[in-house]
Amino acid sequence: MSAPTSKVLSGQEVAQHSSRESCWIIVHGKVYDVTDFLDDHPGGSRIILKYAGKDATAEYDPIHPPNAITDNLPPEKHLGSVDPESVLKVKVEVSDEEKARMERMSKRPPLSEILNLHDFEAIAKVVMPEKAWAYYSSAADDEITIRENHAAYHRVWFRPRILRDVTTVDYSTKILGHASSMPMYITATALGKLGHPDGELNLTRAAAKHGVIQMIPTLASCSFDDIVDATKPGQVQFLQLYVNKDRAITKKLVQHAEQRGIKGLFITVDAPQLGRREKDMRMKFEAEDPAEVTENQQQDRVDRSQGAARAISSFIDPGLDWKDIPWFQSITKMPLILKGVQCWEDALEAYDCGLAGVVLSNHGGRQLDFARSGLEILHEVVHELSARRGLSFPNEKFQLFVDGGVRRATDVLKAVALGATAVGVGRPFLYAFSSYGQEGVDKALQILHDEFEMNMRLIGARTIAEVVPSMVDASSLSAHIVAVPGDRLYNSNYESMQHARLREV
Ligand code: 173
């Protein structure tokens, strides 16, 4: 950790260290000597050199975990703080593209005209910075799985019950024993500040208002403690965990989370290596100035073509194994859930290991392309665990969750009917806060509430316990070719991938 130094430097002094030979940068009012670190920066040296001698906070913030710099630089490289008045602002010319984007921002429809979760995506696509949109929306390889995640819901149809008094309906439930106003939670998504300066705090605040649970990502843009500090009394949060090769770091993080009151640990098991998200990768190439690339190629040893996510995920341990499970059980009393289970065999193993549940998920289609949808896996897991262990679902002791592709309360109700305790929703909330900040997330949650209320009545269920398997026909779920009417809203938001193109000279 940093040796606190009280030295105050002037911006002019910092500005003199603006070269590869001596490179200082300012982040959050602190000055760091990163000369020796340049070649080790996972994102390459070029981006740091752009800010040499200057304030790099705005570039640094969205794509780095908050402590990245203090954790990676030895204390003697922490040079002190800087007199803010004397700092040269990096002159960022507002590009024509950015001006056009701000213009589009000013034309957003009022929230009262946003009717469903698809609408947020349609607005986000045109008002977000291109790179941020590419990062959030991209998925693995040919993006087949991301689309299948949504399409799978079209292969399950309702068998509603009638003439039940549905004057009042209650769709609240319990997730890992904690109250939730709906059978859904806000799932973990990285790098919230790419979409909005308040990042994940938009989700924390809206979750409190609507009585839903937020899963905090390991790779949030806001610090873990800031996200926990933003809760209201009694508000429940879970933590998504990427397991570090250095288990001491993971142990510290997990125990800190438990001590701060986190109520469930969701260990990600589907990302031993980050998937190729080509839309995101192509954006990186297009953003580069060809002249600069050639000039610096020799000096830049790190392959940055796979973007910030790949760079900051290098700590994730591909060696994670079933053998590690007892260790997790020994370091925490929090319920442990595996996130990213994709077949009944692994769900069964998780149950036999004494875990609290599994998330049947393919990481929003961002990892293995042609991974099946969570909904399809759910159906199989319920069947096999009932047959092999006599379990019935939803089950309090071993809970099944699903995520990916959910846009409507009807989607959630289908998963609940098939045995899920709750369903995770990720991207729609990113799009909501990227286009409207916290109010967007509030509105998205309100839309889901309204959809639940109506659809509970229409299927004839007064409580979540009454949403049972016989209320759905899932006979086509695992048939991957079934003609159903296309979802026009979803399809018009889906942005086709692009081929490589000739450069404009
Ligand atoms: O899906 C992701 O983008 C993701 O999980 C991730 C992993 C590492 C760094 C940033 C994001």
Side-chain angles (χ1 to χ4, degrees):
M1 286 315 279
S2 62
T5 160
S6 49
K7 201 164 167 195
V8 179
L9 301 147
S10 74
Q12 287 82 349
E13 192 179 351
V14 179
Q16 282 163 21
H17 300 265
S18 60
S19 67
R20 176 164 271 282
E21 287 64 46
S22 181
C23 178
W24 294 6
I25 56 162
I26 303 167
V27 176
H28 290 299
K30 298 275 185 325
V31 184
Y32 301 95
D33 179 351
V34 293
T35 318
D36 296 339
F37 175 70
L38 283 172
D39 286 333
D40 296 328
H41 182 226
S45 59
R46 199 157 60 92
I47 184 69
I48 304 189
L49 286 166
K50 185 169 163 196
Y51 289 89
K54 306 188 184 109
D55 189 340
T57 310
E59 174 79 21
Y60 171 92
D61 244 4
I63 52 175
H64 292 82
N67 299 330
I69 198 160
T70 43
D71 289 353
N72 282 298
L73 279 188
E76 65 273 17
K77 305 291 182 191
H78 301 207
L79 304 179
S81 45
V82 67
D83 168 14
E85 296 301 310
S86 64
V87 178
L88 280 177
K89 292 279 167 255
V90 180
K91 249 212 265 143
V92 194
E93 287 239 351
V94 181
S95 62
D96 289 347
E97 194 186 296
E98 179 63 8
K99 283 186 200 141
R101 186 178 78 79
M102 295 317 292
E103 172 77 17
R104 293 195 295 277
M105 252 310 190
S106 70
K107 292 185 180 153
R108 283 166 307 167
L111 276 167
S112 55
E113 288 180 23
I114 297 290
L115 297 184
N116 55 50
L117 267 47
H118 299 286
D119 281 347
F120 287 110
E121 188 165 348
I123 300 302
K125 183 158 69 165
V126 292
V127 304
M128 284 180 75
E130 258 187 315
K131 272 201 241 175
W133 161 259
Y135 172 68
Y136 285 171
S137 66
S138 63
D141 291 5
D142 296 310
E143 304 192 347
I144 306 294
T145 285
I146 189 179
R147 285 176 283 157
E148 162 63 7
N149 280 350
H150 183 68
Y153 284 97
H154 295 186
R155 303 198 297 269
V156 176
W157 295 73
F158 286 113
R159 300 180 69 250
R161 301 305 302 268
I162 54 164
L163 296 178
R164 292 175 166 185
D165 176 357
V166 287
T167 313
T168 53
V169 292
D170 176 3
Y171 49 89
S172 67
T173 191
K174 285 199 162 174
I175 304 178
L176 300 176
H178 302 282
S180 173
S181 64
M182 303 183 251
M184 57 75 57
Y185 56 90
I186 301 176
T187 195
T189 48
L191 306 183
K193 284 191 186 174
L194 279 180
H196 187 276
D198 289 353
E200 295 80 10
L201 300 182
N202 290 303
L203 304 173
T204 314
R205 295 172 185 140
K209 261 179 118 165
H210 290 269
V212 301
I213 297 173
Q214 174 192 22
M215 189 193 298
I216 302 174
T218 297
L219 290 166
S221 299
C222 300
S223 79
F224 171 80
D225 283 308
D226 283 350
I227 300 174
V228 177
D229 289 345
T231 53
K232 292 266 185 307
Q235 184 176 348
V236 172
Q237 292 175 313
F238 300 144
L239 175 67
Q240 173 268 337
L241 182 72
Y242 274 127
V243 180
N244 200 303
K245 288 173 198 145
D246 180 346
R247 291 292 195 278
I249 295 177
T250 290
K251 180 174 175 185
K252 201 167 142 204
L253 183 86
V254 169
Q255 295 187 335
H256 179 64
E258 181 165 5
Q259 187 245 325
R260 295 268 1 226
I262 295 297
K263 297 289 190 266
L265 187 66
F266 288 69
I267 306 171
T268 295
V269 292
D270 60 10
Q273 176 178 343
L274 228 55
R276 280 171 66 90
R277 293 102 187 235
E278 294 183 11
K279 192 199 285 183
D280 192 31
M281 290 162 76
R282 207 173 295 285
M283 180 61 63
K284 302 270 147 33
F285 294 130
E286 301 207 338
E288 275 171 352
D289 173 349
E292 246 186 276
V293 175
T294 331
E295 200 177 297
N296 287 290
Q297 242 162 13
Q298 302 306 321
Q299 301 183 346
D300 202 349
R301 292 195 276 108
V302 187
D303 171 18
R304 291 166 302 105
S305 61
Q306 308 218 4
R310 182 61 68 83
I312 64 171
S313 64
S314 57
F315 71 88
I316 299 171
D317 188 3
L320 191 65
D321 193 280
W322 288 108
K323 293 198 286 286
D324 294 303
I325 301 297
W327 178 77
F328 284 103
Q329 290 166 323
S330 78
I331 64 165
T332 181
K333 291 199 164 48
M334 284 185 283
L336 298 176
I337 298 94
L338 300 184
K339 178 172 177 289
V341 167
Q342 301 186 46
C343 62
W344 68 261
E345 291 89 337
D346 285 338
L348 185 67
E349 184 133 7
Y351 174 74
D352 288 344
C353 286
L355 301 182
V358 287
V359 186
L360 307 168
S361 162
N362 52 45
H363 206 119
R366 293 163 78 81
Q367 288 298 104
L368 177 68
D369 207 11
F370 288 95
R372 298 176 302 163
S373 72
L375 193 69
E376 184 178 342
I377 305 164
L378 171 71
H379 201 32
E380 158 186 304
V381 166
V382 165
H383 185 262
E384 294 295 328
L385 269 63
S386 309
R388 289 161 197 272
R389 295 293 182 273
L391 300 177
S392 63
F393 294 98
N395 188 293
E396 260 175 55
K397 295 227 158 58
F398 188 71
Q399 306 200 349
L400 302 178
F401 305 98
V402 171
D403 68 27
V406 170
R407 295 294 180 274
R408 296 279 189 184
T410 48
D411 298 337
V412 181
L413 289 170
K414 290 173 187 178
V416 170
L418 290 174
T421 296
V423 170
V425 179
R427 284 192 188 86
F429 296 123
L430 292 177
Y431 298 140
F433 73 61
S434 297
S435 35
Y436 293 93
Q438 188 208 318
E439 283 183 20
V441 186
D442 282 335
K443 175 79 181 189
L445 287 166
Q446 188 56 51
I447 287 170
L448 286 173
H449 275 294
D450 295 345
E451 290 188 354
F452 269 115
E453 167 118 6
M454 180 188 71
N455 289 305
M456 290 285 285
R457 289 206 174 94
L458 297 182
I459 62 172
R462 289 155 293 205
T463 62
I464 286 297
E466 288 186 356
V467 182
V468 291
S470 61
M471 279 186 169
V472 291
D473 170 7
S475 56
S476 300
L477 183 50
S478 56
H480 288 207
I481 301 183
V482 179
V484 294
D487 184 335
R488 295 287 170 85
L489 291 178
Y490 179 88
N491 290 338
S492 66
N493 279 336
Y494 178 72
E495 185 187 55
S496 296
M497 297 170 74
Q498 308 280 319
H499 288 292
R501 278 192 310 225
L502 294 180
R503 281 207 174 267
E504 284 171 28
V505 239

